[in-house]
Amino acid sequence: MASTCKCTMVAFFILISWATHALSRTLHETSSMSERHEVWMAHHGRIYMDAMEKEVRFKIFKDNVQQIETFNNAGEKSYKLSINEFADLKNEEFIASRNGFRPSQMKATKETSFMYENVTLAPVSMDWRKKGAVTPIKDQGQCGCCWAFSAVAAMEGITQLSTGRLLSLSEQELVDCDIKGVDQGCGGGLMDDAFLFIQHNHGLTTDVNYPYEGTDGTCNPKKSSIHAAQINGHEDVPANSEKALLKAVTNQPVSVAIDAGGFAFQFYSSGVFTGECGTDLNHGVTAVGYGTADDGTNYWLVKNSWGTGWGEDGYIRMQRDVEAKEGLCGIAMQASYPTV
């Protein structure tokens, strides 16, 4: 009797799984675009103010979906795009809300030390996630503070490597308190300046103590004074050298700036990203490894701050060792890392 019941339950769950898959496939292949929009809205909890806004957003959604499917059906690239939570945003709206890197005007002429200059042996691949030096993917939301997430991810990495403890540190402390120079919270910033602030502040607190709000706030000096991790400075990777960047990433997670303003980046889903992008640096992310894909393409493993619904569970693999000295999307132009 128990065996019969167990078999019945297994059959029931198989039926439910099949029905769910069939529904998903039907929505993708045969539903009208308006029905697909409704399903997408429900999945992402999207609610519009009125019918007019819904009509405008539906048109954007429709155009984006058609462009995504045209790209994927062409089958010419090593990466795929997908419908994600940004599907009802025009590309310029997406850039305005998610990108906030402010390029340094000094880096091209500034001479700095590079502690990894003499590194000669590097493993064929590196993944700092597997070594316990990377916290789970975070989401900056509608705040253009990618610079803070990039700097914090690099600091989380070096903290784990130097202390053995992986701490999730506070981006909100940087958003609220690091506002006297280039860094201006949701208005954008620069990772180098974030490292300077952390050094002068004698440390950074955890995001448990100073949780992320996704908006510009007033600095809380009491929370900011509870230092969970410290650095003694930072260094810039020699510009326009993927070889130098490899030396750095071999030793720790590194903050990098990229041009992430294109349609393909907005809807990247999987595979090794090979473009389209230029070198108009507008987004701060973190290189947390590198490797080689099955087809032989070398790539950088990059941690983003757009949630796990984007890319490969929040990560992107970007082509490495390209002809352009700046690297793909300018990844080798303005890289830096904290020191302890």
Side-chain angles (χ1 to χ4, degrees), residues 159-215:
T159 298
Q160 193 279 334
L161 292 174
S162 60
T163 69
R165 296 181 303 151
L166 180 62
L167 301 174
S168 185
L169 301 174
S170 175
E171 292 84 10
Q172 192 66 42
E173 179 181 351
L174 293 176
V175 171
D176 290 354
C177 306
D178 179 16
I179 56 174
K180 293 184 179 179
V182 173
D183 300 341
Q184 292 297 315
C186 296
L190 176 66
M191 287 80 82
D192 280 27
D193 282 36
F195 295 142
L196 285 172
F197 169 83
I198 296 168
Q199 181 183 359
H200 295 157
N201 190 55
H202 305 296
L204 193 68
T205 193
T206 65
D207 62 3
V208 171
N209 179 55
Y210 206 142
Y212 187 64
E213 299 291 340
T215 58

Side-chain angles (χ1 to χ4, degrees), residues 48-84:
Y48 301 119
M49 292 187 299
D50 51 42
M52 182 176 295
E53 183 189 10
K54 184 177 181 180
E55 181 178 354
V56 169
R57 291 299 162 187
F58 168 68
K59 184 179 185 305
I60 296 171
F61 175 87
K62 179 181 178 181
D63 291 343
N64 283 337
V65 170
Q66 290 175 340
Q67 191 171 340
I68 289 169
E69 294 182 343
T70 297
F71 176 93
N72 288 338
N73 291 335
E76 300 173 350
K77 300 291 186 179
S78 60
Y79 61 97
K80 294 292 185 181
L81 309 182
S82 69
I83 305 167
N84 56 31

Side-chain angles (χ1 to χ4, degrees), residues 52-289:
M52 182 176 295
E53 183 189 10
K54 184 177 181 180
E55 181 178 354
V56 169
R57 291 299 162 187
F58 168 68
K59 184 179 185 305
I60 296 171
F61 175 87
K62 179 181 178 181
D63 291 343
N64 283 337
V65 170
Q66 290 175 340
Q67 191 171 340
I68 289 169
E69 294 182 343
T70 297
F71 176 93
N72 288 338
N73 291 335
E76 300 173 350
K77 300 291 186 179
S78 60
Y79 61 97
K80 294 292 185 181
L81 309 182
S82 69
I83 305 167
N84 56 31
E85 65 175 294
F86 311 125
D88 68 344
L89 296 177
K90 292 182 179 180
N91 185 246
E92 55 267 31
E93 294 176 315
F94 170 76
I95 293 172
S97 65
R98 291 283 172 165
N99 296 349
F101 175 78
R102 294 184 174 186
S104 169
Q105 303 302 316
M106 300 293 293
K107 188 157 298 193
T109 59
K110 186 173 65 172
E111 294 184 4
T112 62
S113 61
F114 179 46
M115 62 191 295
Y116 300 123
E117 179 65 40
N118 296 323
V119 171
T120 56
L121 296 177
V124 295
S125 65
M126 174 60 67
D127 187 341
W128 286 112
R129 298 174 302 182
K130 295 179 180 180
K131 296 181 179 296
V134 183
T135 58
I137 289 291
K138 302 178 184 181
D139 191 344
Q140 68 188 73
Q142 299 299 307
C143 174
C145 62
C146 57
W147 58 274
F149 282 82
S150 172
V152 164
M155 184 171 174
E156 290 170 342
I158 195 61
T159 298
Q160 193 279 334
L161 292 174
S162 60
T163 69
R165 296 181 303 151
L166 180 62
L167 301 174
S168 185
L169 301 174
S170 175
E171 292 84 10
Q172 192 66 42
E173 179 181 351
L174 293 176
V175 171
D176 290 354
C177 306
D178 179 16
I179 56 174
K180 293 184 179 179
V182 173
D183 300 341
Q184 292 297 315
C186 296
L190 176 66
M191 287 80 82
D192 280 27
D193 282 36
F195 295 142
L196 285 172
F197 169 83
I198 296 168
Q199 181 183 359
H200 295 157
N201 190 55
H202 305 296
L204 193 68
T205 193
T206 65
D207 62 3
V208 171
N209 179 55
Y210 206 142
Y212 187 64
E213 299 291 340
T215 58
D216 289 320
T218 302
C219 184
N220 186 320
K222 183 177 180 179
K223 291 182 177 181
S224 184
S225 66
I226 303 175
H227 305 141
Q230 297 178 326
I231 59 176
N232 61 20
H234 74 281
E235 292 187 342
D236 295 326
V237 177
N240 301 324
S241 172
E242 285 196 90
K243 290 183 179 179
L245 182 56
L246 184 74
K247 292 179 180 181
V249 179
T250 294
N251 288 278
Q252 65 182 94
V254 176
S255 289
V256 293
I258 57 175
D259 180 349
F263 180 89
F265 216 97
Q266 180 176 347
F267 294 107
Y268 166 80
S269 174
S270 63
V272 178
F273 185 78
T274 57
E276 309 284 335
C277 59
T279 57
D280 182 16
L281 304 180
N282 52 34
H283 188 48
V285 289
T286 313
V288 296

